[in-house]
């Protein structure tokens, strides 16, 4: 018989054994109670069923684990579709292809920052199974890596012997956009079932607290909830840590994820060398990868006086400044074409491009060009502008802008008003002043409360509120809930005081928010068989334990109490972990909605059922239905899971009252993303550029209106 057939037989035997053991045990106890048999003897007889019951339960669990086996080829193909769709949409928001991709060129990285070319070729040839690409395509030396943007996929896949690459460049040189182009090219090149390139932002990784593989698995699960689903884990893992062998870990362990690690320089400087060492230890030599970093920060990390740490087996490229011709053509084309009146507005500026003047330096990078064209090439507006459109000639005034730093500050300051200029079919929902205030607060939050990280995660917003205030608010909310329900059946003042006391004790003991949850789903497609099975188990437990307890505390309260718990358990068996579609990527708003749904379905449903069941059971037994609202309230408090949504809600309420944030914060973040002020990386937002975040964080608070 095939293994799958054995599994089905094992499942049927397990379920039938559970039902048989449960019914016989419940029947034995019922007869003992009815005919006054000795309780001890009957209980001893019933205990003989414990062995078969345990075996049947383990068989059932074993079948559930085996059922999780999946086809990794199909998983990688669906994941590749999701990743491609995600970054096509993000490239559109970032206007990467509007009016056309800005050309970026590179040279080979400085030899002291990477491995020697001879070592790389020798290393690739000696790998088990041979090199990952055709040695005939390798250049004679590292200088052969020099090329331009459109050929980054070819350079990485065919010219780098080890397929391990470090991408270096100055601030704003276009490293992140180059990684997007590389990701799209690699997905277009990948065969069915091949590794999936995934872009990770290192800003949220702490190598002192979490291994790289674990951190990447967490990022994959949050961005693609389908990777929470169990995988075909080794037998040893089934009995020890099955949660460690979901699809995210399975893909990483099978080297079916090709990491593109961005934002190395956004880690704290003290962690740079530590992070490099951790990457070397976590990823084997034959694991392809890409690491992007600023040149100065990477050089400081690898050229320390106490130790030298390079990325093992990696070649390197260094991005070059945009040429004068490229920058001039780009600005004129974005203004409508070289022969339009709008394009001629750039004549004075283009004369300085490629020079050492302040404006020439500032507009020598893709970031500077993006800011300048957003400010000085306005798009059609809904209403006439309230002030004249600024002219790019002002950038050439060395009295006002004596150095590059002043030009950069001006571009960052002018970018927010330009991004919130009325466009499209309706006026902006938020004014320039409101947007500047909110963005400044968020930037200060990231710099001051989150250690300078670039990841704007909604579930970490509670760090912007004082801990005592946060816990007090949670306690007050829970206390008012108990007070309201208790006041329905007793004197209101007594209910209010007792409720507030219970709630405050519960809240002050600790209410820090957890990471968002994405696994629990109410699946309308849950089969009737699964739901019936859950109810049978629930009733079985209720009868068995209820009758047993009934010998001691009275059959009425025992049956009522444990049948309530048994029914809740059976009902919750109908709540399953629905398998999310791997072809979709969960962004910040969707992740918040999922976490809120878990709060409502998992917490409130369980709390209502458990509270109602316990309240009614005790109420019938004691004859005092006043205990029902308190049982309901306590059930709600105990049933509400520690979801991230609860912490987000209380923190947002506090910050809205303090005039730090708008009430519809998630809508604001989505709007800022569409306007190009923020970018989205999986489940988090980031500022368009880390330097924009740092610039806003340095502004005075509260900002001037």
């Amino acid at each position: 018989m095939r293994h799958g057939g054995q599994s089905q037989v094992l499942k049927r035997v397990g379920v039938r054994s559970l039902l048989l053991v449960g019914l016989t045990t419940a029947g034995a106890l019922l007869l003992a109670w009815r005919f006054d048999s000795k309780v001890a003897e009957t209980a001893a007889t019933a205990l003989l069923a414990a062995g078969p019951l345990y075996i049947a339960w383990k068989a059932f669990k074993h079948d559930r684990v085996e059922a999780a086996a999946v086809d990794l080829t199909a998983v990688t193909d669906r994941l590749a579709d999701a990743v491609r769709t995600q970054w096509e949409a993000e490239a559109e928001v970032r206007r990467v292809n509007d009016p056309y991709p800005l050309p970026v060129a590179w040279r080979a990285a400085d030899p002291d920052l990477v491995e020697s070319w001879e070592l790389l070729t020798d290393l690739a040839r000696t790998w088990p199974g041979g090199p990952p690409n055709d040695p005939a395509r390798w250049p004679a030396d590292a200088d052969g890596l020099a090329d331009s943007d459109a050929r980054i996929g070819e350079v990485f896949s065919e010219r780098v012997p080890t397929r391990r690459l470090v991408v270096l460049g100055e601030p704003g040189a276009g490293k992140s956009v180059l990684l997007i182009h590389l990701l799209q090219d690699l997905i277009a090149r990948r065969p069915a079932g091949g590794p999936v390139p995934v872009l990770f932002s290192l800003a949220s990784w702490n190598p002192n607290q979490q291994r790289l593989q674990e951190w990447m698995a967490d990022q994959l699960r949050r961005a693609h909830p389908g990777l929470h689903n169990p995988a075909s884990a080794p037998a040893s893992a089934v009995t020890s840590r099955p949660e460690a062998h979901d699809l995210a870990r399975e893909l990483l362990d099978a080297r079916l994820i090709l990491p593109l690690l961005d934002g190395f320089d956004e880690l704290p400087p003290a962690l740079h060398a530590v992070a490099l060492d951790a990457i070397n230890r976590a990823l084997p030599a034959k694991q392809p990868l890409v690491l992007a970093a600023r040149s100065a920060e990477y050089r400081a990390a690898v050229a320390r006086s106490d130790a030298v740490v390079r990325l093992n087996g990696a070649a390197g490229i260094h991005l070059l400044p945009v040429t004068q011709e490229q920058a001039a053509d780009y600005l004129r084309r974005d203004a409508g074409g070289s022969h339009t009146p709008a394009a001629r507005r750039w004549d004075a500026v283009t004369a300085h491009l490629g020079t050492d003047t302040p404006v020439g330096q500032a507009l020598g990078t893709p970031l500077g060009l993006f800011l300048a064209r957003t400010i000085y090439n306005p798009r059609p507006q809904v209403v006439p502008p309230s002030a004249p459109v600024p002219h790019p000639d002002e950038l050439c005034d060395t009295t006002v802008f004596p150095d590059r730093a002043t030009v950069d500050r001006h571009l960052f300051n002018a970018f927010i008003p330009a991004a919130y200029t009325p466009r499209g079919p309706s006026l902006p929902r938020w004014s320039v002043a409101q947007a500047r205030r909110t963005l400044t607060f968020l930037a200060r939050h990231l710099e001051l409360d989150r250690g300078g990280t670039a990841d704007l995660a909604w579930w970490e917003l509670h760090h912007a509120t004082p801990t005592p205030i946060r816990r007090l608010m949670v306690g007050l909310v829970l206390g008012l809930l108990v007070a309201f329900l208790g006041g329905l059946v007793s004197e209101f003042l007594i209910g209010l005081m007792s409720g507030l006391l219970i709630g405050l004790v519960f809240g002050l003991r600790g209410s820090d928010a957890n990471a968002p949850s994405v696994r629990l789903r109410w699946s309308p497609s849950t089969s009737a068989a699964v739901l019936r099975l859950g109810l049978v188990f629930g009733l079985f437990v209720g009868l068995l334990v209820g009758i047993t307890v009934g010998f001691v505390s009275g059959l009425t309260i025992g049956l009522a109490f444990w049948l309530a718990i048994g029914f809740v358990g059976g009902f919750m068996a109908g709540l399953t972990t629905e398998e999310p579609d791997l072809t979709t990527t969960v962004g910040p708003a969707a992740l918040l909605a999922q976490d809120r749904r878990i709060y409502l379905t998992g917490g409130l449903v369980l709390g209502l059922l458990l509270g109602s069941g316990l309240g009614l059971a005790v109420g019938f037994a004691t004859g005092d239905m006043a205990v029902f609202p308190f049982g309901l309230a306590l059930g709600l408090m105990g049933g509400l899971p520690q979801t991230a949504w609860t912490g987000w809600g209380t923190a947002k309420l506090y910050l809205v009252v303090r005039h730090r944030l708008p009430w519809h914060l998630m809508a604001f973040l989505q709007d800022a993303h569409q306007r190009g002020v923020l970018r989205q990386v999986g489940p988090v937002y980031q500022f368009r550029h880390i330097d924009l975040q740092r610039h806003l964080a340095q502004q005075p608070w509260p900002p001037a209106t």
Side-chain angles (χ1 to χ4, degrees):
M1 182 183 294
R2 293 185 304 174
H3 182 72
Q6 293 175 343
S7 178
Q8 291 298 321
V9 171
L10 188 63
K11 177 180 180 179
R12 289 195 295 269
V13 171
V15 172
R16 291 173 181 174
S17 298
L18 281 170
L19 294 176
L20 180 61
V21 171
L23 290 175
T24 55
T25 303
L29 291 173
L30 181 60
L31 290 174
W33 168 76
R34 177 66 179 80
F35 296 104
D36 296 325
S37 299
K38 294 181 179 179
V39 176
E41 294 176 0
T42 307
T45 303
L47 286 175
L48 293 176
L53 180 64
Y54 175 77
I55 294 174
W57 174 244
K58 293 299 290 186
F60 180 72
K61 286 185 65 178
H62 181 74
D63 178 79
R64 294 292 298 273
V65 172
E66 286 186 349
V70 293
D71 180 3
L72 289 184
T73 297
V75 170
T76 56
D77 291 344
R78 293 199 300 270
L79 179 61
D81 289 340
V83 172
R84 182 185 64 250
T85 302
Q86 170 193 358
W87 288 105
E88 285 176 351
E90 187 64 19
E92 179 181 355
V93 170
R94 298 190 193 187
R95 297 178 63 186
V96 170
N97 301 311
D98 178 19
Y100 56 80
L102 184 64
V104 176
W106 58 82
R107 59 171 174 82
D110 294 341
D112 60 328
L113 299 180
V114 293
E115 307 282 16
S116 70
W117 191 253
E118 182 181 6
L119 175 63
L120 291 178
T121 56
D122 290 344
L123 180 63
R125 286 192 176 96
T126 59
W127 276 346
N133 44 31
D134 184 3
R137 305 290 302 246
W138 298 348
D141 52 37
D143 290 338
L145 300 178
D147 215 311
S148 59
D149 179 79
R151 301 175 69 87
I152 182 60
E154 175 192 330
V155 169
F156 175 76
S157 301
E158 301 179 9
R159 298 191 213 171
V160 177
T162 57
R163 299 191 75 205
R164 293 166 71 94
L165 183 66
V166 178
V167 178
L168 303 174
E170 306 310 314
K175 299 181 292 295
S176 296
V177 174
L178 185 69
L179 289 189
I180 296 177
H181 288 320
L182 175 59
L183 179 144
Q184 294 173 323
D185 194 294
L186 292 176
I187 289 182
R189 291 170 174 266
R190 69 177 291 274
V196 181
V198 177
L199 203 160
F200 296 92
S201 175
L202 289 173
S204 62
W205 178 42
N206 187 333
N208 285 331
Q209 298 179 359
Q210 194 174 27
R211 294 179 61 251
L212 180 66
Q213 294 278 26
E214 295 172 354
W215 174 80
M216 289 194 297
D218 286 343
Q219 301 302 303
L220 287 171
R221 295 181 192 113
R222 287 179 182 172
H224 308 279
L227 297 180
H228 270 290
N229 298 331
S232 52
S236 59
V238 172
T239 57
S240 58
R241 292 183 59 200
E243 72 279 2
H245 290 275
D246 59 9
L247 286 177
R249 283 303 303 267
E250 187 86 348
L251 293 177
L252 288 167
D253 292 344
R255 301 186 190 178
L256 291 175
I257 299 296
L258 198 165
L260 309 182
L261 305 177
D262 194 15
F264 173 82
D265 45 88
E266 295 170 6
L267 292 169
L271 294 180
H272 286 169
V274 177
L276 275 179
D277 181 62
I279 294 172
N280 286 335
R281 287 186 284 107
L283 302 180
K286 204 172 181 179
Q287 167 73 62
L289 70 96
V290 179
L291 176 68
R294 292 185 178 183
S295 304
E297 283 79 354
Y298 190 79
R299 178 177 293 278
V302 304
R304 294 169 33 146
S305 58
D306 54 343
V308 176
V309 182
R310 292 192 182 96
L311 186 61
N312 291 343
I317 60 175
H318 187 112
L319 302 191
L320 300 173
V322 181
T323 67
Q324 186 272 339
E325 294 80 8
Q326 290 172 336
D329 291 344
Y330 188 76
L331 291 172
R332 292 190 178 113
R333 173 60 185 86
D334 187 68
S338 58
H339 301 294
T340 63
R344 288 194 289 271
R345 286 163 29 98
W346 290 100
D347 288 346
V349 170
T350 56
H352 289 272
L353 296 176
T355 69
D356 290 334
T357 60
V359 64
Q361 294 177 8
L363 271 58
T365 66
L367 174 63
L369 290 170
F370 168 78
L371 295 174
R373 69 156 178 165
T374 303
I375 298 166
Y376 298 106
N377 283 347
R379 293 300 186 259
Q381 302 179 16
V382 176
V383 295
S386 57
V389 176
H391 199 287
D393 281 357
E394 64 184 8
L395 297 175
C396 303
D397 188 345
T398 55
T399 303
V400 179
F401 305 111
D403 51 36
R404 176 178 177 174
T406 56
V407 178
D408 289 340
R409 286 196 296 270
H410 167 73
L411 293 176
F412 284 136
N413 284 330
F415 173 60
I416 302 299
Y420 283 85
T421 297
R423 301 188 188 99
S426 60
L427 295 176
R429 187 172 178 179
W430 292 274
S431 67
V432 172
Q434 291 172 324
R436 189 190 301 277
R437 183 183 185 90
T438 301
L439 294 168
T440 300
F441 174 80
L442 293 174
R444 289 169 59 87
H445 161 63
L446 294 176
E447 291 292 324
L448 302 178
D449 302 324
R450 305 301 299 139
T453 181
D455 287 351
L456 181 56
W458 59 262
W459 60 89
E460 294 178 344
L461 184 66
H462 66 277
H463 289 289
T465 63
T467 300
I469 296 295
R470 182 169 68 252
R471 293 182 175 179
L472 181 63
M473 291 183 66
V474 173
L476 285 174
V477 171
L478 293 175
L480 289 173
L481 173 64
V482 178
F484 172 75
L485 294 173
L488 294 178
V489 294
S490 63
E491 187 177 342
F492 180 76
L493 183 59
I494 297 176
L496 177 63
M497 297 303 295
S498 60
L500 289 177
L501 179 61
I502 293 173
L504 287 175
V505 170
F506 185 88
L508 291 176
R509 75 176 185 179
S511 59
D512 291 337
N514 294 334
S517 303
V518 296
R519 300 188 66 179
L520 182 64
R521 299 287 187 277
W522 172 257
S523 176
S525 61
T526 300
S527 66
V530 172
L531 185 56
R532 286 197 301 268
L533 181 62
L535 289 174
V536 167
F537 277 120
L539 292 173
F540 160 70
V541 173
L543 284 169
L544 176 62
V545 183
I547 294 174
T548 304
V549 174
F551 284 113
V552 180
S553 59
L555 181 61
T556 302
I557 187 172
L559 275 174
F561 189 87
W562 289 105
L563 277 175
I565 294 180
F567 177 78
V568 171
F571 181 83
M572 293 305 290
L575 290 176
T576 71
T577 53
E578 181 185 80
E579 296 186 3
D581 187 358
L582 283 174
T583 60
T584 58
T585 300
V586 174
L591 190 61
L592 175 63
Q594 288 177 343
D595 195 74
R596 180 173 60 245
R597 186 159 54 247
I598 290 174
Y599 173 88
L600 295 174
T601 59
L604 289 179
V605 170
L606 177 60
L608 284 169
L609 288 175
L610 186 58
S612 300
L614 296 181
L616 288 173
V618 177
F620 279 125
T622 61
D624 182 9
M625 293 303 295
V627 79
F628 165 71
F630 286 103
L632 174 60
L634 293 175
L636 284 171
M637 292 173 62
L640 293 181
Q642 287 290 331
T643 57
W645 183 73
T646 55
W648 149 270
T650 54
K652 188 182 74 168
L653 177 61
Y654 171 80
L655 294 171
V656 168
V657 172
R658 294 293 306 277
H659 302 289
R660 302 293 194 267
L661 297 175
W663 177 251
H664 299 287
L665 177 57
M666 189 56 69
F668 174 87
L669 297 176
Q670 291 175 299
D671 180 73
H673 175 228
Q674 292 299 317
R675 294 178 181 277
V677 179
L678 300 178
R679 62 188 184 188
Q680 182 180 319
V681 182
V684 301
Y685 287 116
Q686 297 177 346
F687 279 88
R688 174 75 188 219
H689 195 272
I690 189 65
D691 286 345
L692 173 62
Q693 172 184 315
R694 292 167 180 167
H695 169 79
L696 290 172
Q698 295 171 359
Q699 302 308 300
W701 183 264
T705 57

